[in-house]
Each structure stands twice: as structure tokens, then as C-alpha cells.
Amino acid sequence: MSHFLFTSESVTEGHPDKICDQISDAVLDAILEQDPLGRVACETTASTGLIHIMGEISTSCYVDIGKIARQVVRDIGYDRAKFGFDCDTCGIITNIDEQSGDIAMGVNAAYETRSADTEQQTGAGDQGMMFGYACDETPELMPMPISLAHKLAMRLTQVRKEALVDYLRPDGKTQVTVEYDEQRRPVRIDTVVISTQHAPEASLEQIREDMIRLVIEPTIPPALLDGNTKIYVNPTGRFVIGGPQGDSGLTGRKIIVDTYGGSAPHGGGAFSGKDPTKVDRSAAYAARWAAKNVVAAGLARRCQIQLAYAIGVARPVSVLVETFGTGTVPDEQLSEAVQKVFDFRPGAIIRDLDLRRPIYRQLAAYGHMGREDLGVAWEKTDRVDALRAALN
């Protein structure tokens, strides 16, 4: 294939969908802090002046969900009415029930445990497929477009919170288009887009100048920019109305932002607000962990792993490893090695990745994958030697 372009986007923590993701994961964290075995499926919606939190939660502890939601909104920066959303005056509705007993039955005792004399295992909390991916385009082994889009979004928020300019507000989006060569290696940045909520008195010219100087130039390596790189800053010309006032928000509506920016498939299940018995979350982390170790071991330049589960059954019904012709051994051999080294049963994933901890709110913005800055276990390359040994 000749040169081609690929684009990924990110959003800031003040984006309405990300507000909802963070509230859902903050509720999960508060429960796990007191009850590591709590079952949580928490969804949030937000619109002008209103937050609605709903879901199924079974736990032995009490948490003040309304107080948690207000603190999340305050931390993001929506703390005054002129921003269009105020943590202290917005309405909050909660509608929480307990987890279905039919689902709990399959999670508490896996199908294997009920049908044979095996050790107690946690069954998958739902059916479905999950994908993990890694590539050698960046030091954290993530695709370059989503990696740079996240870094721009984080830098945009940093500029706002450190008051390097005085007109920025919490909502924002970033987007990066990367040009690849015939070997699918990134060679330059073709386009950068930054859209940021701002105070009405800020001019487009001032915003553009500041975003290039304070956000783009400190974030994107200069060698990737050239005279043909296109930069768009607030291309509509105005972005004053933002957050839940500008658009309703919903948990789980930014799943491609959460993962690989479209460079790899997504099984369809969201992460935020779900405890780790939900394989939508835990198995996606495990698949990323395995794929990253494959690339880190030098066994492939690109690796994609699909896991699939049946509800209430511990072992995945299928495991597929795909290296797109970049592997040093046949994919069939690599798949066997991966299944020897990694235990993809939900209980084993929870154990190996230490997932019953309150670590999730920090992941609810700027991506769940590639977050080496957070020290999460699925970003460790601690199975490299084991994979090489399994192939030998």
C-alpha cells in the first residue's frame, strides 16, 4: 500500500460524555475502596443543569453518590454558572437497583464449577468479544494518532488548570492525522485539530496563537511537523457554549477514544462504571497486556488479540492472535504461546492485574490503554521472557 493517512481523536475531561464516564468510575472506586467484591454497573447521563445516575449495584457498603458526582464535576472545573454547568446547583437524580440474581449466579460460580469437579472460578459477567492491540509506533506501544491526540488533550487541560491563559473552559477536543509510508510507519503529521471551549471575550486569533504555542508545539515532536501540516483551531469560529449545556453526555459513548482511536477493532462494550467481573473491561485490559508483551518481546511489530466469552463461563470460547504479517513466527504458534503464558479466565485476570482496587476514575479520561503514567498492570511488559520461552 502507498502512503496513506489515518486519524484519531481525543476529548478533554470536560467533554460531556467524559464527565459521565468519570462520575460512573468515581462511584465504582468509592465502592471498591470499602467493598472490593462489590458488583457495580453504573451509568450516568448529563444535560443542562442535570445529572442522572442509574444502574445495578450490589455491595455491603454505603456511598453518597450525589456527593461523589458533585466532586467530580468540581474537580473537572465546572464550578460556576457562567460555564453553563455548576457542580453546586445542578440537579442529581439516582436510580439504583441491585444486580440481577440471574447474572450473579453465573458470575459467582462459573459453568465449569457447576458442571465438573474443578476449583471455584469466576464466570464471565456477560457474553461478547474484546480486543487488545499494540504496535511499535510509540514508546508506549500505542498507535501514534491516538497517542498524540491524548497528549494534546492532556496538555490543553494542563494549560487551563495552570491558568497559563485565562479564557479556557473545560470542554475540548483534539484530533491528529498521521501520514504513513508503504511499510506502515509514521512519517509526518498531516493535520492537527484543536477545539476548545472559551470565554466569550477571547478572540479566535488569540486562541489560535496560544494553542499553537502552548499546546501543539510542546506536545508534538518538531520532526513530525512540516510546512504542509495543516492546523485548525476552533474551526467553527466560536466555542463558548460547551459541556452538558452544549451537548448531552452519556457513559460509554467514547469507547474508541478509550482504546486505540480506531486503529484496532472494539468489541462494543464500554469500560466505565463496570466492576472487573465484567469482561467488557477486564478482558480488554488483559488482551492489551498480552498484545503489548508480544510486541515488546520483538515477536511482532503489530499484534491484535481477540478474546470472546459466554456469560457464566470462565474460559474464553475463542482466542485469536493476529500480527498482520509482521510476526517473527506463525500466528498459530504465537497464539499457543500466548495461551500458555496468559490465563484469560476472569478470576485470573482480576488476580494478575489486581483489578479490585479503586483505580478507575483516573482512567476515565485520556484513554485506558498506553497509560504508563498511571502504573496500571496491563501496561507492564513482565511476560516478555515467558513468551520467548514458550516459543522455544
Side-chain angles (χ1 to χ4, degrees):
M1 187 176 182
S2 60
H3 283 229
F4 64 95
L5 303 177
F6 192 86
T7 303
S8 295
E9 72 158 349
S10 182
V11 298
T12 66
E13 60 198 55
H15 186 280
D17 294 328
K18 278 293 153 198
I19 295 172
C20 295
D21 284 341
Q22 290 168 90
I23 291 171
S24 294
D25 273 336
V27 172
L28 171 63
D29 280 354
I31 290 171
L32 292 179
E33 191 170 6
Q34 300 181 60
D35 178 14
L37 299 179
R39 299 281 172 76
V40 180
C42 180
E43 313 287 343
T44 304
T45 65
S47 60
T48 304
L50 181 66
I51 296 171
H52 184 187
I53 305 165
M54 68 205 90
E56 294 77 44
I57 298 176
S58 296
T59 180
S60 61
C61 70
Y62 169 78
V63 297
D64 189 332
I65 292 177
K67 183 177 180 180
I68 291 168
R70 293 190 191 280
Q71 187 60 50
V72 169
V73 176
R74 180 178 292 108
D75 291 344
I76 290 169
Y78 286 111
D79 55 3
R80 58 200 70 183
K82 71 176 183 178
F83 290 175
F85 202 72
D86 183 1
C87 59
D88 294 314
T89 61
C90 66
I92 296 180
I93 300 172
T94 60
N95 181 23
I96 304 295
D97 202 350
E98 64 181 0
Q99 184 183 59
S100 161
D102 294 344
I103 295 175
M105 180 175 64
V107 176
N108 295 342
Y111 176 84
E112 294 93 330
T113 302
R114 287 175 274 127
S115 61
D117 185 17
T118 61
E119 64 179 344
Q120 177 75 14
Q121 301 175 68
T122 300
D126 202 350
Q127 71 176 44
M129 61 282 189
M130 300 83 213
F131 290 89
Y133 183 77
C135 61
D136 62 359
E137 297 175 18
T138 62
E140 68 272 26
L141 305 184
M142 285 286 287
M144 183 176 286
I146 189 66
S147 176
L148 290 177
H150 283 324
K151 289 174 181 176
L152 286 171
M154 285 190 278
R155 176 62 182 171
L156 179 58
T157 297
Q158 181 184 14
V159 168
R160 172 176 63 87
K161 289 190 170 182
E162 293 182 0
L164 300 184
V165 296
D166 61 2
Y167 55 79
L168 291 181
R169 291 182 177 172
D171 198 356
K173 284 187 168 186
T174 61
Q175 185 171 284
V176 177
T177 301
V178 175
E179 180 179 335
Y180 289 82
D181 65 13
E182 297 87 346
Q183 303 300 316
R184 199 183 171 91
R185 294 191 181 276
V187 293
R188 59 180 292 274
I189 303 300
D190 184 80
T191 308
V192 178
V193 182
I194 293 180
S195 296
T196 180
Q197 186 185 11
H198 60 88
E201 62 270 15
S203 69
L204 181 59
E205 293 75 16
Q206 178 187 11
I207 297 169
R208 177 180 171 84
E209 178 184 339
D210 289 342
M211 293 304 97
I212 292 174
R213 176 175 57 89
L214 295 173
V215 178
I216 296 174
E217 291 179 351
T219 303
I220 297 183
L224 294 173
L225 300 171
D226 59 33
N228 293 319
T229 299
K230 298 177 285 293
I231 296 176
Y232 298 102
V233 176
N234 282 12
T236 68
R238 179 179 169 89
F239 187 1
V240 172
I241 300 173
Q245 183 186 27
D247 190 11
S248 60
L250 177 65
T251 299
R253 202 157 57 180
K254 283 289 178 284
I255 57 177
I256 300 304
V257 171
D258 286 343
T259 52
Y260 307 102
S263 291
H266 193 294
F271 300 155
S272 290
K274 296 178 181 178
D275 75 81
T277 66
K278 279 73 171 175
V279 284
D280 283 339
R281 171 167 238 156
S282 54
Y285 293 162
R288 161 64 179 172
W289 182 36
K292 185 172 184 178
N293 274 268
V294 168
V295 176
L299 301 173
R301 282 183 47 220
R302 298 167 58 206
C303 181
Q304 177 180 293
I305 296 178
Q306 186 204 50
L307 306 176
Y309 292 85
I311 186 169
V313 180
R315 296 191 181 280
V317 297
S318 69
V319 178
L320 174 65
V321 178
E322 172 69 57
T323 62
F324 309 97
T326 69
T328 60
V329 299
D331 287 351
E332 294 80 3
Q333 289 183 344
L334 191 53
S335 179
E336 291 176 5
V338 164
Q339 293 180 70
K340 287 180 182 177
V341 172
F342 295 92
D343 188 340
F344 292 120
R345 295 174 299 170
I349 294 171
I350 292 169
R351 176 198 67 211
D352 293 341
L353 298 181
D354 197 11
L355 296 181
R356 294 197 188 276
R357 298 179 296 133
I359 60 173
Y360 298 107
R361 180 185 166 186
Q362 62 183 343
L363 293 160
Y366 314 115
H368 294 244
M369 311 304 176
R371 298 301 301 276
E372 294 181 346
D373 57 315
L374 300 179
V376 290
W378 54 93
E379 292 301 320
K380 294 180 179 178
T381 53
D382 52 354
R383 299 291 175 94
V384 165
D385 292 339
L387 279 170
R388 290 171 178 159
L391 286 169
N392 292 331

